[in-house]
Amino acid sequence: MELGNPIITTLVGLVIFYIGLKMFSGGMKSMGNMDHLSFFIHNPYWMFLGGIVMTLLWQSSSLSTTAIIALVASGTVPLPAAIAAVLGANIGTTGTIWIAGLLVSDGIPKGDTLRIAMMHTGANLFMALSLMPFIHHIARFLGRF
């Protein structure tokens, strides 16, 4: 099915994507009072796990990061917890390669598929766990800007 000029189709797709992200961000900002989640929101370790789960469910680290940025901009989530959630989102995004490995391998990933999935997950996990002890320092540094 031909939709016309591929450049125009691409530009229209990018505009629609941008509008969708803006609407999503606006909706997240207007969520209002979230005091019932304050233990979760103010605990970087829970936000780290939340970032993993959120990204696994949505299968989009871009969407997770956009939601986190919107919540920080609205003042709902403190910066250290948001940094932890973004680190978690980087791990959650590795779920896609595990799903692809399951589909390609007819079950448990094997061979090169397993090695690629393990490397992708391992590198992101190593990076996240290496940075987790320093998120308050990172937040303090980023707070200068």
Side-chain angles (χ1 to χ4, degrees):
M1 180 167 139
E2 184 65 32
L3 296 176
N5 188 337
I7 294 173
I8 293 174
T9 304
T10 302
L11 290 175
V12 169
L14 287 173
V15 168
I16 291 171
F17 179 72
Y18 176 76
I19 291 170
L21 284 178
K22 290 296 278 185
M23 290 175 68
F24 180 79
S25 177
M28 292 300 287
K29 285 181 185 177
S30 66
M31 283 183 70
N33 192 357
M34 295 178 56
D35 288 336
H36 59 286
L37 296 175
S38 65
F39 174 76
F40 177 76
I41 290 172
H42 295 289
N43 186 330
Y45 296 103
W46 282 113
M47 288 295 287
F48 176 73
L49 290 174
I52 293 171
V53 170
M54 184 170 43
T55 306
L56 283 171
L57 291 174
W58 289 341
Q59 284 300 299
S60 172
S61 60
S62 299
L63 184 60
S64 298
T65 304
T66 301
I68 294 163
I69 290 170
L71 290 170
V72 170
S74 69
T76 305
V77 174
L79 189 56
I83 293 169
V86 169
L87 291 174
N90 284 334
I91 294 171
T93 196
T94 64
T96 307
I97 194 158
W98 287 101
I99 291 170
L102 289 171
L103 296 174
V104 169
S105 301
D106 296 327
I108 302 296
K110 304 177 212 46
D112 287 340
T113 306
L114 176 62
R115 286 188 280 279
I116 291 169
M118 287 177 50
M119 182 58 205
H120 188 221
T121 304
N124 283 359
L125 189 60
F126 176 75
M127 182 266 315
L129 293 178
S130 297
L131 291 176
M132 277 299 287
F134 304 106
I135 58 172
H136 291 287
H137 299 291
I138 295 167
R140 195 171 23 254
F141 173 73
L142 293 175
R144 296 180 189 173
F145 300 104

